[in-house]
Amino acid sequence: LEVTETYLDSDRWTEFIVGDLPIVISVPHGGSISLPAVPKRCAPDDCVEPDWLTIELAHQLQKGFLDAYNRQPSIIICHLHRSMIDQNRPEKNAYVDTSLKKA
């Protein structure tokens, strides 16, 4: 893997930007992709609002490291909207449609 190289899965749901520090910035709730055919998470305790501007924040943090140390952390971003999947919930609460299991 090359530093600064960006990798996307075939559906473009997940993005990985390679860094050269042992730090990973995770952005599990910043995505905006909604899939009309996929049911949304809607249990009473489900948070379905995205964490606004977290993708931009991750890029700014990466730039700050690069400016200060000439090295950068890796970034992993889920581009699916949080109503589709919540990446840091147990599998039974993370999604409704099992096609998202690969995300």
XYZ file of all heavy atoms in Angstrom:
818
model
N 0.843 -1.191 0.000
C 0.000 0.000 0.000
C 0.880 1.244 0.000
O 1.856 1.312 0.736
C -0.903 0.014 1.228
C -1.875 -1.159 1.401
C -2.622 -1.019 2.714
C -2.830 -1.259 0.261
N 0.509 2.193 -0.801
C 1.262 3.432 -0.916
C 0.644 4.520 -0.049
O -0.582 4.710 -0.053
C 1.270 3.900 -2.375
C 1.984 2.961 -3.324
C 3.470 2.914 -3.085
O 4.066 3.964 -2.789
O 4.044 1.806 -3.186
N 1.481 5.241 0.676
C 1.012 6.341 1.510
C 0.301 7.357 0.621
O 0.755 7.655 -0.478
C 2.181 6.992 2.278
C 1.734 8.212 3.044
C 2.815 5.974 3.212
N -0.818 7.873 1.110
C -1.736 8.824 0.466
C -2.622 8.173 -0.589
O -3.534 8.815 -1.094
C -1.056 10.070 -0.152
O -0.348 9.702 -1.331
C -0.138 10.757 0.834
N -2.388 6.916 -0.928
C -3.235 6.227 -1.902
C -4.613 6.003 -1.279
O -4.746 5.738 -0.087
C -2.602 4.892 -2.271
C -3.119 4.277 -3.533
C -2.738 5.043 -4.786
O -1.668 5.662 -4.824
O -3.537 5.007 -5.721
N -5.662 6.120 -2.098
C -7.036 5.912 -1.644
C -7.577 4.639 -2.264
O -7.441 4.426 -3.467
C -7.922 7.105 -2.047
O -7.425 8.280 -1.412
C -9.362 6.888 -1.618
N -8.186 3.804 -1.439
C -8.783 2.559 -1.892
C -10.261 2.578 -1.557
O -10.650 3.002 -0.462
C -8.116 1.359 -1.209
C -6.658 1.234 -1.561
C -5.681 1.864 -0.797
C -6.257 0.507 -2.677
C -4.334 1.772 -1.134
C -4.912 0.408 -3.018
C -3.966 1.043 -2.242
O -2.638 0.945 -2.575
N -11.094 2.125 -2.502
C -12.536 2.034 -2.304
C -12.981 0.605 -2.577
O -12.416 -0.060 -3.455
C -13.272 2.970 -3.267
C -13.048 4.457 -3.045
C -13.391 5.241 -4.296
C -13.880 4.937 -1.878
N -14.004 0.150 -1.849
C -14.565 -1.160 -2.162
C -15.353 -1.037 -3.468
O -15.573 0.064 -3.976
C -15.441 -1.668 -1.013
C -16.691 -0.860 -0.855
O -16.604 0.309 -0.414
O -17.777 -1.367 -1.183
N -15.775 -2.146 -4.036
C -16.417 -2.141 -5.354
C -17.719 -1.338 -5.381
O -18.090 -0.809 -6.434
C -16.659 -3.576 -5.837
O -17.523 -4.248 -4.937
N -18.403 -1.227 -4.262
C -19.641 -0.438 -4.200
C -19.386 1.024 -3.838
O -20.317 1.819 -3.832
C -20.603 -1.045 -3.168
C -21.124 -2.395 -3.596
O -21.605 -2.500 -4.743
O -21.039 -3.345 -2.793
N -18.145 1.341 -3.494
C -17.742 2.694 -3.088
C -18.414 3.118 -1.770
O -18.650 4.280 -1.533
C -17.996 3.709 -4.197
C -17.299 3.330 -5.503
C -17.520 4.306 -6.617
N -16.866 5.573 -6.408
C -15.593 5.841 -6.674
N -14.819 4.905 -7.163
N -15.085 7.034 -6.464
N -18.699 2.125 -0.928
C -19.300 2.404 0.374
C -18.235 2.704 1.422
O -18.490 3.412 2.382
C -20.134 1.231 0.857
C -21.338 0.912 0.036
C -21.943 1.704 -0.918
C -22.106 -0.283 0.101
N -23.027 1.067 -1.437
C -23.159 -0.158 -0.835
C -22.005 -1.441 0.849
C -24.113 -1.156 -1.023
C -22.953 -2.434 0.655
C -23.999 -2.282 -0.269
N -17.060 2.103 1.271
C -15.991 2.253 2.254
C -14.740 2.771 1.553
O -14.360 2.276 0.500
C -15.683 0.912 2.941
O -16.889 0.397 3.507
C -14.647 1.077 4.040
N -14.108 3.754 2.169
C -12.900 4.373 1.624
C -11.777 4.235 2.648
O -11.992 4.446 3.842
C -13.172 5.846 1.355
C -12.009 6.636 0.846
C -12.356 8.090 0.570
O -13.534 8.494 0.769
O -11.455 8.833 0.166
N -10.593 3.899 2.154
C -9.418 3.785 3.013
C -8.311 4.637 2.411
O -7.943 4.455 1.250
C -8.957 2.327 3.136
C -7.730 2.156 3.976
C -7.758 2.429 5.332
C -6.537 1.727 3.415
C -6.616 2.274 6.118
C -5.397 1.565 4.184
C -5.438 1.840 5.537
N -7.782 5.565 3.179
C -6.672 6.409 2.763
C -5.458 5.996 3.591
O -5.491 6.042 4.819
C -6.991 7.900 2.959
C -8.278 8.262 2.217
C -5.820 8.771 2.499
C -8.859 9.601 2.592
N -4.420 5.590 2.918
C -3.239 5.026 3.572
C -2.378 6.130 4.182
O -2.071 7.121 3.532
C -2.401 4.209 2.572
C -1.175 3.609 3.254
C -3.243 3.121 1.924
N -2.018 5.934 5.440
C -1.093 6.824 6.121
C 0.211 6.111 6.419
O 0.392 4.947 6.052
N 1.095 6.812 7.128
C 2.379 6.205 7.493
C 2.659 6.336 8.988
O 3.803 6.308 9.424
C 3.519 6.792 6.662
C 3.646 8.302 6.782
O 2.801 8.939 7.439
O 4.593 8.853 6.207
N 1.605 6.479 9.765
C 1.688 6.467 11.225
C 0.827 5.327 11.753
O -0.116 4.906 11.084
C 1.153 7.791 11.802
C 2.023 9.025 11.678
C 1.239 10.268 12.106
C 3.275 8.883 12.518
N 1.102 4.856 12.963
C 0.268 3.797 13.541
C -1.003 4.370 14.179
O -1.357 4.049 15.309
C 1.196 3.153 14.581
C 2.084 4.277 15.014
C 2.287 5.134 13.788
N -1.665 5.248 13.436
C -2.904 5.892 13.886
C -3.919 5.743 12.768
O -3.609 5.987 11.599
C -2.679 7.392 14.192
C -1.660 7.571 15.306
C -3.993 8.085 14.531
C -1.214 9.008 15.503
N -5.155 5.368 13.125
C -6.239 5.282 12.155
C -7.370 6.168 12.635
O -7.849 6.032 13.764
C -6.755 3.831 11.985
C -7.941 3.792 11.032
C -5.644 2.912 11.519
N -7.786 7.098 11.777
C -8.952 7.936 12.057
C -10.149 7.243 11.420
O -10.177 7.013 10.214
C -8.774 9.356 11.484
C -7.555 10.032 12.107
C -10.043 10.177 11.717
C -7.173 11.340 11.444
N -11.131 6.906 12.233
C -12.306 6.182 11.771
C -13.493 7.140 11.691
O -13.763 7.887 12.627
C -12.603 5.049 12.759
O -13.819 4.429 12.434
N -14.187 7.095 10.547
C -15.367 7.947 10.346
C -16.543 7.022 10.003
O -16.894 6.842 8.842
C -15.120 8.978 9.222
C -16.296 9.948 9.136
C -13.816 9.730 9.425
N -17.163 6.422 11.028
C -18.221 5.451 10.767
C -19.594 6.056 10.492
O -20.479 5.358 10.002
C -18.249 4.626 12.054
C -17.809 5.571 13.109
C -16.792 6.475 12.433
N -19.801 7.337 10.795
C -21.154 7.906 10.714
C -21.240 9.181 9.887
O -22.145 9.975 10.067
C -21.683 8.221 12.118
C -21.636 7.066 13.043
N -21.116 7.166 14.318
C -22.018 5.788 12.892
C -21.187 5.994 14.904
N -21.723 5.142 14.066
N -20.309 9.397 8.976
C -20.313 10.639 8.216
C -20.863 10.515 6.812
O -20.930 11.502 6.085
N -21.261 9.329 6.419
C -21.659 9.088 5.034
C -23.007 9.652 4.649
O -23.864 9.933 5.500
N -23.207 9.779 3.339
C -24.455 10.344 2.824
C -25.157 9.441 1.818
O -26.229 9.786 1.327
C -24.174 11.698 2.172
O -23.262 11.545 1.096
N -24.585 8.275 1.512
C -25.203 7.394 0.520
C -26.400 6.688 1.151
O -26.275 5.974 2.139
C -24.203 6.336 0.010
C -23.048 7.005 -0.727
C -24.907 5.320 -0.895
C -21.931 6.051 -1.125
N -27.575 6.898 0.537
C -28.786 6.179 0.926
C -29.152 5.244 -0.206
O -29.037 5.607 -1.378
C -29.937 7.149 1.192
O -29.725 7.841 2.384
N -29.578 4.073 0.143
C -29.964 3.070 -0.843
C -31.479 2.913 -0.784
O -32.000 2.348 0.190
C -29.265 1.747 -0.555
C -27.736 1.826 -0.424
C -27.173 0.507 0.090
C -27.120 2.194 -1.758
N -32.218 3.424 -1.773
C -33.684 3.418 -1.719
C -34.299 2.034 -1.506
O -35.340 1.924 -0.867
C -34.101 3.989 -3.075
C -32.920 4.755 -3.554
C -31.705 4.064 -2.984
N -33.669 0.985 -2.001
C -34.229 -0.363 -1.875
C -33.938 -1.011 -0.527
O -34.451 -2.088 -0.235
C -33.700 -1.244 -2.996
N -33.131 -0.363 0.288
C -32.733 -0.940 1.575
C -33.528 -0.286 2.698
O -33.573 0.936 2.797
C -31.214 -0.738 1.805
C -30.808 -1.182 3.185
C -30.420 -1.484 0.742
N -34.159 -1.093 3.559
C -34.906 -0.497 4.681
C -33.971 0.197 5.662
O -32.842 -0.233 5.882
C -35.596 -1.697 5.339
C -34.917 -2.908 4.822
C -34.228 -2.547 3.549
N -34.481 1.274 6.219
C -33.686 2.047 7.176
C -33.805 1.450 8.570
O -34.810 0.824 8.916
C -34.159 3.497 7.199
C -33.900 4.194 5.897
C -34.339 5.630 5.967
C -34.016 6.319 4.648
N -34.380 7.714 4.660
N -32.771 1.681 9.376
C -32.803 1.290 10.781
C -33.823 2.196 11.461
O -33.819 3.408 11.254
C -31.427 1.480 11.412
C -30.344 0.646 10.789
C -28.931 1.013 11.235
N -28.814 1.201 12.658
C -28.637 2.392 13.248
N -28.544 3.502 12.545
N -28.548 2.482 14.554
N -34.688 1.629 12.278
C -35.720 2.472 12.886
C -36.154 1.994 14.269
O -37.241 2.341 14.726
C -36.921 2.600 11.961
S -37.704 1.023 11.583
N -35.347 1.208 14.944
C -35.675 0.802 16.310
C -35.667 2.042 17.208
O -34.990 3.029 16.905
C -34.685 -0.239 16.804
N -36.406 2.031 18.291
C -36.504 3.220 19.149
C -35.163 3.784 19.613
O -35.023 4.996 19.749
C -37.324 2.734 20.339
C -38.091 1.561 19.828
C -37.230 0.933 18.775
N -34.176 2.941 19.833
C -32.884 3.420 20.326
C -31.880 3.712 19.213
O -30.741 4.072 19.489
C -32.273 2.398 21.294
C -33.072 2.284 22.578
O -33.778 3.248 22.921
O -32.992 1.227 23.220
N -32.282 3.551 17.955
C -31.367 3.772 16.841
C -31.123 5.261 16.618
O -32.059 6.036 16.476
C -31.920 3.193 15.532
C -31.875 1.686 15.483
O -31.194 1.091 16.337
O -32.515 1.109 14.585
N -29.877 5.633 16.581
C -29.492 6.976 16.160
C -29.269 6.890 14.655
O -28.452 6.103 14.198
C -28.220 7.431 16.861
S -27.693 9.065 16.332
N -30.008 7.658 13.881
C -29.907 7.565 12.427
C -29.386 8.850 11.785
O -29.241 8.926 10.566
C -31.250 7.160 11.785
C -31.631 5.756 12.204
C -32.344 8.144 12.117
N -29.096 9.851 12.579
C -28.521 11.083 12.041
C -27.018 10.906 11.872
O -26.352 10.338 12.736
C -28.787 12.262 12.975
C -30.232 12.718 12.967
C -30.676 13.196 11.597
O -29.932 13.972 10.954
O -31.760 12.778 11.163
N -26.475 11.396 10.770
C -25.026 11.301 10.596
C -24.304 12.227 11.568
O -24.914 13.140 12.129
C -24.804 11.756 9.149
C -25.989 12.587 8.817
C -27.128 12.067 9.646
N -23.045 11.965 11.779
C -22.195 12.892 12.527
C -21.691 13.906 11.510
O -20.802 13.614 10.709
C -21.034 12.149 13.194
C -21.504 11.245 14.328
O -22.609 11.460 14.843
O -20.750 10.327 14.680
N -22.300 15.062 11.515
C -22.040 16.075 10.499
C -20.583 16.521 10.485
O -19.975 16.704 11.525
C -22.957 17.284 10.712
C -24.401 16.921 10.655
C -25.268 16.878 11.708
C -25.148 16.493 9.520
N -26.501 16.452 11.300
C -26.460 16.206 9.947
C -24.836 16.310 8.177
C -27.462 15.772 9.078
C -25.833 15.870 7.316
C -27.125 15.610 7.769
N -20.046 16.677 9.305
C -18.709 17.226 9.022
C -17.557 16.362 9.545
O -16.421 16.820 9.592
C -18.582 18.659 9.556
C -19.595 19.659 8.976
C -19.466 21.003 9.673
C -19.419 19.803 7.474
N -17.814 15.114 9.902
C -16.728 14.278 10.421
C -15.760 13.838 9.325
O -14.581 13.615 9.604
C -17.262 13.058 11.182
O -18.213 12.374 10.359
C -17.928 13.475 12.483
N -16.229 13.709 8.094
C -15.316 13.372 6.999
C -14.346 14.534 6.787
O -13.125 14.336 6.689
C -16.085 13.035 5.699
C -16.889 11.750 5.891
C -15.117 12.899 4.523
C -17.819 11.405 4.741
N -14.883 15.746 6.773
C -14.038 16.928 6.617
C -13.067 17.068 7.789
O -11.890 17.401 7.595
C -14.909 18.186 6.494
C -15.780 18.221 5.251
C -17.082 17.411 5.336
O -17.347 16.767 6.369
O -17.832 17.419 4.354
N -13.551 16.791 8.995
C -12.695 16.854 10.181
C -11.543 15.847 10.086
O -10.395 16.162 10.402
C -13.517 16.610 11.445
C -12.750 16.560 12.755
C -12.043 17.884 13.034
C -13.694 16.206 13.903
N -11.842 14.641 9.630
C -10.795 13.614 9.484
C -9.706 14.082 8.519
O -8.508 13.925 8.791
C -11.408 12.301 9.001
N -10.115 14.680 7.406
C -9.129 15.183 6.440
C -8.311 16.333 7.029
O -7.097 16.423 6.782
C -9.818 15.623 5.147
C -10.317 14.481 4.322
N -9.487 13.585 3.685
C -11.586 14.078 4.035
C -10.213 12.696 3.040
N -11.489 12.966 3.245
N -8.942 17.185 7.817
C -8.211 18.286 8.455
C -7.223 17.759 9.502
O -6.104 18.275 9.618
C -9.179 19.289 9.091
C -9.919 20.139 8.087
C -8.972 20.983 7.243
O -8.058 21.618 7.763
N -9.173 20.963 5.938
N -7.627 16.747 10.262
C -6.707 16.127 11.226
C -5.512 15.516 10.506
O -4.366 15.676 10.933
C -7.427 15.062 12.046
C -8.380 15.559 13.113
C -9.239 14.412 13.638
C -7.606 16.204 14.248
N -5.784 14.816 9.404
C -4.698 14.216 8.636
C -3.737 15.303 8.141
O -2.521 15.168 8.237
C -5.267 13.419 7.463
C -4.216 12.638 6.708
C -4.795 11.902 5.532
O -5.533 12.479 4.744
N -4.468 10.612 5.418
N -4.279 16.401 7.627
C -3.452 17.511 7.152
C -2.646 18.121 8.296
O -1.473 18.459 8.138
C -4.315 18.577 6.495
C -3.516 19.732 5.920
C -4.428 20.781 5.320
C -3.683 21.948 4.732
N -2.621 22.497 5.527
N -3.250 18.243 9.478
C -2.538 18.777 10.639
C -1.329 17.928 11.009
O -0.250 18.459 11.306
N -1.495 16.602 10.988
C -0.368 15.705 11.245
C 0.708 15.877 10.184
O 1.902 15.939 10.487
C -0.828 14.237 11.273
C -1.281 13.758 12.607
C -2.615 13.847 12.975
C -0.385 13.204 13.511
C -3.048 13.401 14.205
C -0.799 12.744 14.742
C -2.145 12.847 15.099
N 0.276 15.963 8.923
C 1.226 16.104 7.831
C 2.010 17.408 7.960
O 3.230 17.421 7.815
C 0.494 16.045 6.491
C 1.332 15.875 5.246
C 2.201 14.621 5.316
C 0.442 15.834 4.012
N 1.326 18.493 8.287
C 1.990 19.788 8.458
C 2.953 19.785 9.641
O 4.048 20.334 9.567
C 0.958 20.906 8.644
C 0.148 21.180 7.387
O 0.532 20.706 6.299
O -0.899 21.863 7.500
N 2.537 19.153 10.736
C 3.345 19.184 11.960
C 4.477 18.158 11.967
O 5.559 18.431 12.496
C 2.448 18.959 13.177
N 4.247 16.979 11.405
C 5.205 15.877 11.555
C 5.697 15.300 10.226
O 6.497 14.363 10.213
C 4.587 14.745 12.378
C 4.052 15.212 13.707
C 2.679 15.291 13.938
C 4.913 15.604 14.730
C 2.188 15.727 15.161
C 4.427 16.047 15.941
C 3.067 16.104 16.148
O 2.572 16.548 17.343
N 5.154 15.795 9.133
C 5.487 15.282 7.806
C 5.145 13.792 7.680
O 5.782 13.051 6.933
C 6.954 15.539 7.450
C 7.179 15.540 5.948
O 6.286 15.910 5.185
N 8.348 15.115 5.531
N 4.172 13.359 8.438
C 3.631 11.999 8.398
C 2.140 12.113 8.632
O 1.660 13.116 9.154
C 4.283 11.114 9.462
C 5.786 10.936 9.200
C 6.441 10.048 10.200
N 6.024 8.664 9.962
C 6.220 7.688 10.837
N 6.818 7.927 11.992
N 5.841 6.461 10.571
N 1.408 11.075 8.262
C -0.045 11.181 8.402
C -0.686 9.878 8.845
O -0.202 8.802 8.510
C -0.667 11.645 7.091
C -0.403 10.720 5.924
C -0.841 11.335 4.614
O -0.854 12.538 4.449
N -1.201 10.499 3.676
N -1.792 9.990 9.588
C -2.546 8.794 9.963
C -3.349 8.278 8.776
O -3.577 8.997 7.802
C -3.477 9.307 11.069
C -3.640 10.760 10.780
C -2.372 11.208 10.142
N -3.764 7.033 8.847
C -4.693 6.477 7.865
C -6.106 6.931 8.220
O -6.390 7.281 9.372
C -4.635 4.948 7.883
O -3.355 4.492 7.508
N -6.972 6.918 7.233
C -8.380 7.265 7.450
C -9.232 6.156 6.841
O -8.960 5.702 5.728
C -8.761 8.601 6.782
C -7.933 9.758 7.333
C -10.252 8.890 6.960
C -8.204 11.095 6.636
N -10.271 5.747 7.555
C -11.259 4.836 6.993
C -12.632 5.492 7.156
O -12.977 5.978 8.232
C -11.197 3.428 7.617
C -12.095 2.484 6.844
C -11.507 3.437 9.092
C -11.778 1.019 7.037
N -13.376 5.545 6.054
C -14.651 6.262 6.010
C -15.745 5.332 5.511
O -15.584 4.666 4.484
C -14.565 7.473 5.053
C -13.462 8.435 5.482
C -15.920 8.189 4.964
C -13.116 9.481 4.443
N -16.861 5.304 6.217
C -18.063 4.633 5.724
C -18.912 5.703 5.035
O -19.330 6.667 5.670
C -18.844 3.979 6.856
S -20.390 3.234 6.284
N -19.166 5.533 3.744
C -19.939 6.515 2.986
C -21.435 6.232 2.990
O -22.212 7.014 2.444
C -19.427 6.602 1.543
C -18.115 7.298 1.446
N -17.964 8.651 1.622
C -16.867 6.816 1.207
C -16.700 8.987 1.481
N -16.006 7.884 1.235
N -21.850 5.133 3.613
C -23.283 4.858 3.741
C -23.879 5.738 4.836
O -23.254 5.968 5.873
C -23.529 3.395 4.093
C -23.310 2.393 2.970
C -23.356 0.976 3.520
C -24.349 2.582 1.880
N -25.093 6.211 4.599
C -25.789 7.027 5.596
C -26.041 6.192 6.848
O -26.275 4.982 6.771
C -27.117 7.529 5.019
C -27.751 8.591 5.832
N -28.527 8.306 6.932
C -27.710 9.932 5.724
C -28.947 9.435 7.464
N -28.476 10.445 6.742
N -26.005 6.834 7.974
C -26.166 6.131 9.253
C -27.535 5.466 9.395
O -27.697 4.524 10.176
C -25.939 7.117 10.405
C -25.745 6.439 11.741
C -25.384 7.461 12.776
N -24.976 6.850 14.017
C -24.597 7.528 15.067
N -24.567 8.851 15.020
N -24.232 6.921 16.166
N -28.520 5.930 8.656
C -29.832 5.268 8.700
C -29.779 3.886 8.044
O -30.632 3.044 8.299
C -30.899 6.121 8.013
O -30.612 6.273 6.633
N -28.748 3.648 7.207
C -28.569 2.354 6.542
C -27.790 1.384 7.432
O -28.114 0.205 7.496
C -27.780 2.515 5.230
C -28.363 3.466 4.226
S -29.738 2.744 3.326
C -31.100 3.598 4.081
N -26.720 1.907 8.062
C -25.835 1.055 8.866
C -25.145 1.889 9.936
O -24.803 3.042 9.721
C -24.782 0.342 7.981
C -24.031 -0.727 8.776
C -23.850 1.331 7.318
C -23.218 -1.681 7.919
N -24.999 1.297 11.099
C -24.234 1.921 12.177
C -23.053 1.012 12.448
O -23.191 -0.072 13.021
C -25.093 2.099 13.424
C -24.452 3.012 14.449
O -23.198 3.064 14.488
O -25.178 3.674 15.198
N -21.875 1.447 12.012
C -20.690 0.601 12.003
C -20.194 0.170 13.376
O -19.448 -0.794 13.467
C -19.543 1.312 11.262
C -19.801 1.502 9.804
C -19.619 0.222 9.010
O -19.437 -0.854 9.546
N -19.686 0.347 7.714
N -20.553 0.871 14.426
C -20.031 0.458 15.732
C -21.135 -0.018 16.676
O -21.087 0.204 17.869
C -19.157 1.551 16.367
C -19.861 2.880 16.464
O -21.029 2.983 16.167
N -19.148 3.898 16.880
N -22.090 -0.694 16.111
C -23.140 -1.358 16.887
C -22.999 -2.861 16.706
O -22.440 -3.322 15.708
C -24.529 -0.929 16.399
C -24.831 0.525 16.588
C -25.190 0.814 18.039
N -25.384 2.231 18.222
C -24.556 3.029 18.885
N -23.472 2.542 19.426
N -24.809 4.298 19.029
N -23.516 -3.636 17.648
C -23.518 -5.086 17.441
C -24.276 -5.411 16.148
O -25.201 -4.689 15.760
C -24.270 -5.634 18.657
C -24.192 -4.547 19.674
C -24.112 -3.257 18.929
N -23.881 -6.470 15.497
C -24.445 -6.817 14.192
C -25.973 -6.810 14.191
O -26.595 -6.311 13.251
C -23.914 -8.188 13.768
C -24.171 -8.503 12.324
C -23.475 -9.765 11.883
O -22.332 -10.018 12.289
O -24.098 -10.518 11.108
N -26.600 -7.315 15.236
C -28.072 -7.384 15.256
C -28.724 -5.999 15.291
O -29.889 -5.866 14.933
C -28.550 -8.228 16.443
C -28.267 -7.612 17.790
C -28.774 -8.481 18.920
C -28.506 -7.752 20.219
N -29.271 -8.243 21.315
N -27.986 -4.963 15.669
C -28.516 -3.604 15.709
C -27.916 -2.698 14.642
O -28.310 -1.542 14.517
C -28.236 -2.957 17.070
C -28.810 -3.746 18.204
O -28.083 -4.472 18.869
N -30.103 -3.636 18.428
N -26.956 -3.200 13.881
C -26.200 -2.347 12.960
C -26.946 -2.054 11.660
O -26.768 -0.995 11.075
C -24.855 -2.982 12.646
N -27.767 -2.983 11.197
C -28.456 -2.816 9.925
C -29.707 -3.677 9.920
O -29.855 -4.594 10.724
C -27.553 -3.193 8.742
C -26.867 -4.529 8.918
C -27.526 -5.725 8.659
C -25.558 -4.597 9.392
C -26.912 -6.939 8.844
C -24.933 -5.814 9.584
C -25.608 -6.975 9.295
O -24.997 -8.186 9.499
N -30.612 -3.370 8.979
C -31.828 -4.166 8.802
C -31.624 -5.155 7.656
O -31.973 -6.315 7.761
C -33.044 -3.250 8.516
C -34.284 -4.066 8.216
C -33.287 -2.311 9.691
N -31.050 -4.675 6.569
C -30.859 -5.480 5.361
C -29.510 -6.187 5.406
O -28.469 -5.549 5.499
C -30.932 -4.566 4.137
C -31.012 -5.320 2.834
O -30.144 -6.195 2.614
O -31.911 -5.029 2.041
N -29.512 -7.518 5.312
C -28.271 -8.287 5.429
C -27.307 -8.049 4.262
O -26.133 -8.410 4.362
C -28.554 -9.796 5.549
O -29.310 -10.224 4.420
C -29.283 -10.106 6.840
N -27.758 -7.423 3.172
C -26.830 -7.117 2.082
C -25.790 -6.105 2.523
O -24.740 -5.958 1.890
C -27.585 -6.585 0.855
O -28.126 -5.310 1.099
N -26.038 -5.394 3.633
C -25.085 -4.416 4.148
C -24.038 -5.048 5.049
O -23.131 -4.379 5.501
C -25.817 -3.316 4.899
C -26.793 -2.491 4.071
C -27.481 -1.457 4.943
C -26.095 -1.825 2.907
N -24.150 -6.335 5.286
C -23.199 -7.017 6.172
C -21.764 -6.864 5.694
O -20.852 -6.786 6.495
C -23.567 -8.493 6.266
C -22.769 -9.259 7.281
C -23.290 -10.669 7.426
C -22.545 -11.379 8.533
N -23.126 -12.654 8.850
N -21.550 -6.753 4.404
C -20.195 -6.619 3.853
C -19.635 -5.219 4.018
O -18.451 -5.008 3.803
C -20.169 -7.007 2.381
C -20.946 -6.065 1.482
C -20.861 -6.490 0.034
C -21.602 -5.476 -0.828
N -21.438 -5.754 -2.228
N -20.463 -4.223 4.363
C -20.019 -2.828 4.428
C -19.056 -2.586 5.575
O -19.054 -3.177 6.581
C -21.211 -1.895 4.562
